Amino acid sequence: MESKNNITEFILLGLSQQKEVEILCFLLFLLFYIAILAGNLLIMISITCSQLIQQPMYFFLRLLSLSDLCYTSTVTPKLVIDLLAKKKTISYNGCMTQLFTMHFFGGIEIFILTGMAYDRYVAICKPLHYTVIMSRRTCVVITAASCAGGFLHSFGQFILAIFLPFCGPNEIDNYFCDIYPLLKLACTDTSRIGLLVLANSGSVSLVTFVVLLISYAVILYAIKSYSRESRLKALSTCSSHITVVVLFFVPLVFVYIRPKSTFPEDKVFALFYTIIAPMLNPLIYTLRNTEMKNAIKKLWSQIMGRRGNRLKDISASHHRAC
């Protein structure tokens, strides 16, 4: 493989070349990012400040919100800024950093979702052994394994990208740096590297998605013998997980399951797993979850109560001064 690299920066073509469309997208994705920050931070704080943190399901949900926040922050702020910029550029080092961090947090999210599916499987299919199997030690091990898996996946992508030679052109037809667009720009034969990327990203996405679907099929089969009330409760919990999994994995599989090739539609599909899914996850996990809604209400009451006490103290101090 050639070692020369004449490229110091890449030009991102973004979502559109029309200024009116870019301004509309700027407003839209700025609101989306604010919603992502607010929603995921609210979930993290509500779980941390309540007894829900003791339950494995909410332990993982807090981690999912954190990974969502970090994952989308590797892409969305840059996208929002670039929508108003005349020239959308990213340095070579910035591109490699974005590639690594995006796949790192994305990998963590994939494995956290798998951990959540395992938690639901144990809770529904082995309820008598749930507290023993899903101990705090097990949750910590799953978290550590998710971080290690995310790192290994991302490091593999990074190593493949860092040794690619670039000698022009340098235009990436996307709004962020990813491995397939970089393979397209490399001035060398990337057929074998494309297969390695497929074996890494493609297999991780597809195999995990299939495993998750099988696990939920087993869960749905197991609850057939439950009472109507227990069945509805299990379905309510699992439906949230299944919705999140489908929103995240279907576009992910579409983008990464083919070797080396890119399509204009990839940008639209990428929006789902980089922005749309992280924005909808807080809504999906709270709208049909009574415990989560109660935790948020309790947090809000505490905040308003403290604010009221402060106002009373200020008012009392003012009267004493008078």
Side-chain angles (χ1 to χ4, degrees):
M1 182 180 291
E2 301 176 42
S3 59
K4 63 179 181 179
N5 190 352
N6 300 327
I7 301 298
T8 58
E9 67 176 17
F10 295 97
I11 297 173
L12 300 171
L13 298 184
L15 295 173
S16 174
Q17 302 300 311
Q18 300 179 21
K19 199 61 186 176
E20 295 80 6
V21 175
E22 287 188 321
I23 292 173
L24 179 62
C25 288
F26 167 79
L27 296 172
L28 188 64
F29 291 120
L30 179 61
L31 289 174
F32 282 179
Y33 189 57
I34 292 171
I36 291 169
L37 291 175
N40 285 290
L41 284 173
L42 182 61
I43 284 184
M44 290 166 59
I45 295 170
S46 298
I47 292 174
T48 303
C49 297
S50 70
Q51 294 299 315
L52 294 180
I53 189 62
Q54 303 299 326
Q55 300 181 37
M57 173 182 167
Y58 296 101
F59 177 86
F60 290 128
L61 179 55
R62 186 180 65 163
L63 287 174
L64 180 67
S65 293
L66 178 60
S67 63
D68 268 340
L69 203 56
C70 296
Y71 177 58
T72 194
S73 293
T74 64
V75 174
T76 311
K78 172 69 174 168
L79 167 63
V80 171
I81 293 170
D82 282 348
L83 285 168
L84 295 183
K86 290 184 178 180
K87 190 177 181 183
K88 306 169 181 60
T89 61
I90 185 169
S91 67
Y92 176 84
N93 291 336
C95 182
M96 294 300 122
T97 301
Q98 188 181 61
L99 174 72
F100 178 83
T101 53
M102 191 189 78
H103 281 274
F104 174 60
F105 292 116
I108 291 175
E109 182 154 351
I110 285 174
F111 296 120
I112 288 294
L113 286 170
T114 307
M116 293 176 77
Y118 178 68
D119 170 69
R120 289 301 85 201
Y121 166 77
V122 175
I124 293 171
C125 298
K126 298 182 179 181
L128 297 179
H129 304 285
Y130 179 73
T131 54
V132 176
I133 296 175
M134 294 305 299
S135 62
R136 181 48 61 103
R137 182 177 178 275
T138 303
C139 293
V140 172
V141 169
I142 291 175
T143 302
S146 298
C147 293
F151 176 81
L152 290 174
H153 161 69
S154 180
F155 187 71
Q157 299 287 76
F158 179 75
I159 288 297
L160 292 175
I162 202 73
F163 289 111
L164 289 174
F166 300 101
C167 43
N170 66 336
E171 289 185 344
I172 296 177
D173 188 16
N174 211 325
Y175 58 90
F176 64 95
C177 282
D178 204 1
I179 188 67
Y180 280 147
L182 290 175
L183 290 180
K184 195 173 180 180
L185 295 180
C187 49
T188 187
D189 181 20
T190 58
S191 301
R192 292 182 181 179
I193 299 176
L195 291 175
L196 290 174
V197 173
L198 176 63
N200 186 346
S201 291
S203 62
V204 167
S205 304
L206 183 61
V207 171
T208 308
F209 185 43
V210 171
V211 168
L212 288 171
L213 291 180
I214 292 173
S215 69
Y216 284 117
V218 171
I219 290 171
L220 292 175
Y221 179 79
I223 64 176
K224 286 173 64 178
S225 59
Y226 284 27
S227 65
R228 185 175 182 276
E229 184 180 348
S230 298
R231 192 162 59 244
L232 289 174
K233 185 177 180 181
L235 283 172
S236 177
T237 303
C238 288
S239 63
S240 299
H241 290 280
I242 294 171
T243 304
V244 169
V245 165
V246 170
L247 275 174
F248 186 74
F249 277 95
V250 169
L252 199 67
V253 169
F254 176 84
V255 171
Y256 289 108
I257 201 59
R258 56 183 190 270
K260 196 181 172 182
S261 57
T262 59
F263 298 119
E265 294 81 9
D266 288 352
K267 289 187 282 188
V268 178
F269 282 98
L271 286 174
F272 277 90
Y273 58 79
T274 57
I275 299 176
I276 305 300
M279 181 184 67
L280 294 179
N281 284 356
L283 291 175
I284 293 169
Y285 280 112
T286 55
L287 288 179
R288 299 183 64 183
N289 190 316
T290 305
E291 289 181 318
M292 199 64 238
K293 285 190 285 189
N294 289 337
I296 292 172
K297 288 177 183 176
K298 185 177 179 181
L299 176 66
W300 181 254
S301 298
Q302 289 175 347
I303 293 172
M304 295 306 294
R306 288 171 185 170
R307 185 181 177 185
N309 290 334
R310 283 200 204 98
L311 290 174
K312 288 179 182 178
D313 292 340
I314 292 170
S315 179
S317 300
H318 178 72
H319 284 303
R320 283 197 296 269
C322 293

